[in-house]
Structures are given as structure tokens and as C-alpha cells.
Amino acid sequence: MTTTSGNTSTRSAVTVIGLGEMGSALAGVFLDSGHPTTVWNRTPGKADALVAKGARWAATVRDAVAAGPLVIISVKGNAAARRILESAGDALAGRAVVNLTDGTSAEARAVAEWAADQGTEYLHGQIMTIAPGVGHPETVVFYGGAGAVYDRYRSTLRLLGGRGSLIAAGAGIPAL
């Protein structure tokens, strides 16, 4: 969500968890667009280039999640995504989580159900490009899940792919 008042522009804080090739590309787009960006990865050194560009490093997943209202996660597998998010504990309550991790439809639904039990709004996304394509106006990202999250953060999510769209209320649909 980006709001502008007079000459002042405020961009929503974003947390990116997982700094492999895709996660680093995601965080880079947010930084380049002026969003306060917090990053976390189990291997801290992967954050160095992003921190040099202005990202804030969080020492724990809990600290990363607590840094802002929008949490983007992109790791290897939904089981790993859930384990990582579980380590945030009650810091997840009231946050919006956008899971951009590859996996099956059933896995995405299971993470969505778990997230709902934590008091978290959940959106699952499927990025239809490789990491260098993130941030391009023609890049497609399919989202499924909490329409309120998509509506609230539409302008922020559009930074990842100009042709991103909410295709279903079911979190498992984008993986199909």
C-alpha cells in the first residue's frame, strides 16, 4: 500500500524471508521501489548485498515478522515455509503473509489453514518467471487466498510482476 500526501510518500514496510535467488530478487524490487525492507535468511551472509542497499537485517524470524505488516516468504518447499513461520510464534498474529514458495496445491492449502489458526491473513502466489524477471511489467504472478490482503497490498505486490492478479479465494489454486 502506497499513500501520498503532499510531497511526502509513505511505502508500507515489507519483510522478505528467504534470500535465495528468488527471495533476493523480491527484496531488491522492494528496496528499489523505496519500501522499508527487512530481511531474514538462515544463512545471514546472504543478506549482505541487500543490507548494503538499505535493507534491515533481522536476527530472528520473530524479529523479521514483527518489523512490519506484510511478510513475504520464498523458500524451498512449503514444509520449510511453515517451519520457519512457526518460529515467529505469536508475532504472526495480525500480519499478512504472502507465500511465494513453490509446491503443491495441497501444501499451499495446508499452510493457509495453519496460518489462519495463527490469526494471520494468508495469500499464496505462484511467480511465473525466473528471478531475473521479477519486477518487470509483463511478469505474471497468480495469487490465491485472502482477497483482503491482495486488495490492501495490490500496489506493493504489483511491483513483483505488473501482470499479477488474484485468481481465486483458494490458496491452493495458483499452484495448479
Side-chain angles (χ1 to χ4, degrees), residues 32-159:
D32 292 346
S33 298
H35 286 267
T37 305
T38 299
V39 295
W40 179 88
N41 195 76
R42 69 177 176 215
T43 306
K46 285 194 172 189
D48 291 347
L50 294 164
V51 170
K53 285 179 68 174
R56 178 180 164 257
W57 166 252
T60 68
V61 173
R62 182 179 186 81
D63 291 344
V65 167
L70 179 60
V71 177
I72 309 289
I73 186 164
S74 179
V75 295
K76 290 186 180 180
N78 283 300
R82 180 170 168 174
R83 278 192 309 276
I84 290 166
L85 291 170
E86 284 174 344
S87 70
D90 62 1
L92 280 172
R95 303 282 188 250
V97 171
V98 179
N99 185 354
L100 298 174
T101 299
D102 284 337
T104 69
S105 180
E107 291 168 343
R109 284 191 312 271
V111 177
E113 289 170 13
W114 172 84
D117 290 342
Q118 310 312 304
T120 302
E121 293 180 290
Y122 183 86
L123 193 62
H124 196 89
Q126 187 68 41
I127 302 171
M128 305 306 291
T129 189
I130 58 174
V134 170
H136 293 273
E138 294 302 312
T139 296
V140 174
V141 184
F142 295 125
Y143 296 99
V149 172
Y150 182 78
D151 291 342
R152 188 176 324 121
Y153 295 106
R154 180 186 315 245
S155 63
T156 303
L157 295 173
R158 278 272 163 102
L159 296 170

